[in-house]
Structures are given as C-alpha cells and as structure tokens.
C-alpha cells in the first residue's frame, strides 16, 4: 500500500510539474504573440490600408493610391521597414468597421479624431489639421455663407457624405435633421446639388475645393466667403487609425511619425498634396490624440 501510495503521489507531482510547465509555455507564447502584428508586417514587408476616395487625403487615380494621408502613411511605414502598401478602397462609413474586423491593418483618410470614433479605433497622433468648406449652385442664389444661414432657412437642404463629422457640426449650428441628406461619397453630394435635390453640400475645405476642380463644372461654386463655425471639432485634426487591439502597431507608428514631423518631412508631404505646410501642420505635442479623444482639445 505504501509503495502504491508513493507511486500515486509521484505521478501527481509529475502531472503538476507538467501543468505548470505548460502554463509557462502558454504565457510565453501569448507574450510573443502580443507583438506579432508589427513583426509579421515587417517580415512580409507589406501593410493593408483602407481608404475612401476623398482627395486630397486619400484617393485612387489611374489605379494608384494617392493623397496626403497616404504619403504620410507610406513614409512612416517605410521607417518601420514596411515598404509595400496593399490598398483597399472602401466606403467612408465602412473604414472603422473594416479595421475592427481585421480587414485592414490601418485606415488612412484624414479622418477627424473625436471621442466617438476613439471608442472604436486607436488613432495615431494628428497628422494634419483642417477647416470646413461649402459648395453651392453657381452664383450662390440663396446667399449661403455659413452653417447658420442653412439653419435660418428651413427650405434649404444640405447633403453630406455618410459618416462625416459635418453632420454633427450642422446640427450643433441649429440645422434640423430633416434638412440633412446623406450620400456615399463626395461626387454623389455634388450630383445632388447639381440636380437640385439639395441646395448645398459641405465637407472639409480641401476635399470639396479639390473635388470641385476635378469635377470641372461651371454649375457649382466654392463659397470663398464661408464663415468657419465656432464649434467643438473645428478645426479638425486627422490621423491614421488602427484596431483597438493593435495599439503596439499604433505606438510604433507614432514614434516614427514624431521623427518625421521633427525633420520637416510631414510638412513637405502636406505641401506636395496642396496643403499649407504651416497652417495644416500639427507640431509634436501641440495637440495630442489623448486630448482629442477625451474631448479636452475640441
């Protein structure tokens, strides 16, 4: 009996050691796995990027992905040893769901950083700042020069790209929901105004201005006298966004982004894409993503 008891005790002890050893191995594997996304991208030399057609931030031209947000992302990932970008065109409203689902490693579209979006994606530090713009029928027959002008005339209808921050900006200025229409992209908003289904469209200043130049039409007009709304979120600060579970990649991105800000690369890339290298540039620590996500900087 004593010998049997000894064998049983020895077997139990060995099983306990094995279990402990397995637990350590598993923990070690999890630790190694926690850094696997960045390492895997570096090993592959390629990153999958989601974008929406919105010049001059990110857009497709002749089968090539272009824009300020794209060029900035390329420069940062190159510093991380990742030289290839697998670009995936998506509707604006599907960008964050796409990065959440793992369809993209990162999304880059000059997307404004705000508390609501920060609940669903991990944003980089700001890469740029920008204001708003208006497009109306040529001649601006209704004299629309501000969001307040839209609010003060209940007969005016404004069309906005789905998921854009301008929807909430308009509401905060008193524009009623029944005055607001949505469309999948900027060309569709222009079409709505040109056809008379809406009287005005709004978006970030550079977006609508460059889109109008590309549209090459005399039927629409950019409102040069537009009065920027004095509301939270204007100016907007755009950045790249990652999955909430992929903060290590975001942190590595931020480290290289700061270096490229300091050496002047980011300002140069903004200027090359039609932005102002000073007024659209966000210096390191001038406005942080933490402050934007908390609402303190809005």
């Amino acid at each position: 009996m004593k010998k049997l008891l000894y064998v049983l005790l020895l077997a139990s002890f060995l099983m306990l050691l094995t279990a402990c050893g397995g637990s350590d191995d598993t923990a070690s594997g999890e630790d190694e796995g926690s850094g696997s996304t960045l390492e895997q991208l570096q090993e592959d030399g390629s990153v999958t990027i989601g974008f929406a057609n919105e010049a001059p931030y990110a857009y497709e031209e002749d089968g090539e992905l272009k824009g300020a947000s794209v060029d900035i992302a390329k420069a940062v990932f190159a510093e991380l040893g990742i030289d290839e970008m697998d670009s995936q065109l998506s509707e604006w409203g599907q960008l964050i769901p796409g990065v959440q689902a793992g369809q993209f490693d990162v999304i880059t579209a000059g997307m404004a950083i705000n508390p609501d979006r920060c609940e669903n994606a991990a944003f980089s530090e700001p890469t740029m700042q920008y204001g708003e713009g208006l497009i109306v029928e040529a001649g601006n027959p209704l004299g629309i020069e501000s969001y307040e002008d839209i609010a003060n005339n209940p007969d005016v209808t404004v069309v906005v790209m789905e998921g854009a921050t301008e929807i909430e900006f308009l509401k905060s200025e008193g524009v009623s929901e029944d005055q607001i229409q949505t469309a999948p992209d900027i060309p569709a908003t222009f079409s709505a105004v040109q056809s008379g289904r809406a009287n005005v469209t709004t978006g970030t200043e550079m977006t609508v201005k460059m889109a109008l130049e590309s549209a090459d039409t005399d039927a629409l007009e950019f409102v040069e006298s537009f009065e920027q709304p004095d509301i939270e979120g204007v100016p907007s600060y755009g950045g790249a966004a990652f999955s909430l579970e992929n903060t290590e990649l975001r942190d590595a991105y931020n480290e290289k982004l700061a270096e490229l800000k300091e050496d002047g690369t980011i300002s140069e890339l903004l200027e090359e894409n039609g932005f102002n290298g000073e007024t659209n540039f966000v210096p390191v620590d001038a406005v942080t993503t933490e402050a934007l996500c908390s609402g303190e900087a809005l």
Side-chain angles (χ1 to χ4, degrees):
M1 286 292 294
K2 288 183 178 180
K3 185 174 181 180
L4 177 60
L5 180 61
Y6 174 78
V7 171
L8 290 173
L9 288 172
L10 179 60
S12 298
F13 179 70
L14 290 174
M15 288 176 65
L16 179 62
L17 284 179
T18 301
C20 291
S23 176
D24 289 342
D25 291 343
T26 300
S28 174
E30 288 175 355
D31 288 340
E32 291 176 3
S34 65
S36 63
T37 300
L38 175 57
E39 293 170 0
Q40 187 63 55
L41 293 177
Q42 289 172 326
E43 182 178 338
D44 295 342
S46 177
V47 58
T48 300
I49 295 191
F51 71 101
N53 265 334
E54 187 179 0
Y57 305 95
Y59 60 100
E60 191 174 38
E61 184 175 272
D62 299 327
E64 183 181 354
L65 183 57
K66 297 182 178 181
S69 296
V70 174
D71 288 348
I72 290 171
K74 281 182 180 178
V76 173
F77 280 113
E79 291 295 312
L80 289 171
I82 304 168
D83 296 318
E84 297 296 325
M85 295 174 67
D86 176 17
S87 58
Q88 301 284 332
L89 176 64
S90 175
E91 289 188 3
W92 177 267
Q94 294 304 309
L95 289 175
I96 287 182
V99 81
Q100 288 177 319
Q103 181 182 351
F104 316 123
D105 299 309
V106 59
I107 53 178
T108 180
M111 183 176 285
I113 305 167
N114 62 40
D116 289 340
R117 287 175 176 162
C118 290
E119 292 181 2
N120 297 295
F123 281 87
S124 71
E125 290 302 318
T127 56
M128 62 182 71
Q129 62 179 352
Y130 45 80
E132 303 303 310
L134 283 183
I135 299 292
V136 296
E137 183 184 343
N140 197 3
L142 298 178
I144 302 171
E145 297 183 335
S146 67
Y147 289 167
E148 285 187 356
D149 287 341
I150 300 172
N152 291 336
N153 187 345
D155 293 329
V156 172
T157 301
V158 56
V159 59
V160 187
M161 185 171 66
E162 292 172 0
T165 54
E166 286 76 18
I167 295 173
E168 294 305 318
F169 292 165
L170 288 162
K171 291 179 181 179
S172 70
E173 288 290 90
V175 179
S176 65
E177 289 193 23
D178 59 9
Q179 288 180 269
I180 303 172
Q181 300 177 9
T182 60
D185 52 34
I186 296 298
T189 66
F190 283 13
S191 177
V193 176
Q194 197 163 348
S195 67
R197 287 180 283 116
N199 304 110
V200 57
T201 183
T202 181
T204 56
E205 180 180 6
M206 288 298 295
T207 296
V208 294
K209 196 170 189 177
M210 291 190 67
L212 184 59
E213 291 176 2
S214 298
D216 191 25
T217 175
D218 295 328
L220 302 176
E221 174 181 314
F222 178 80
V223 180
E224 297 287 354
S225 57
F226 174 66
E227 181 182 338
Q228 292 290 333
D230 184 17
I231 56 177
E232 289 185 356
V234 180
S236 298
Y237 296 87
F242 304 79
S243 164
L244 290 172
E245 299 176 354
N246 208 359
T247 55
E248 186 201 27
L249 180 59
R250 187 274 313 274
D251 293 344
Y253 187 97
N254 278 339
E255 182 180 347
K256 297 303 180 183
L257 175 64
E259 293 175 5
L260 294 178
K261 283 186 176 184
E262 295 285 8
D263 70 13
T265 299
I266 301 302
S267 287
E268 292 177 5
L269 293 175
L270 287 171
E271 290 181 353
E272 289 174 7
N273 285 279
F275 290 88
N276 187 299
E278 294 183 5
T279 59
N280 294 120
F281 175 71
V282 185
V284 175
D285 295 331
V287 177
T288 67
T289 291
E290 181 179 2
L292 292 167
C293 287
S294 68
E296 293 177 7
L298 297 177

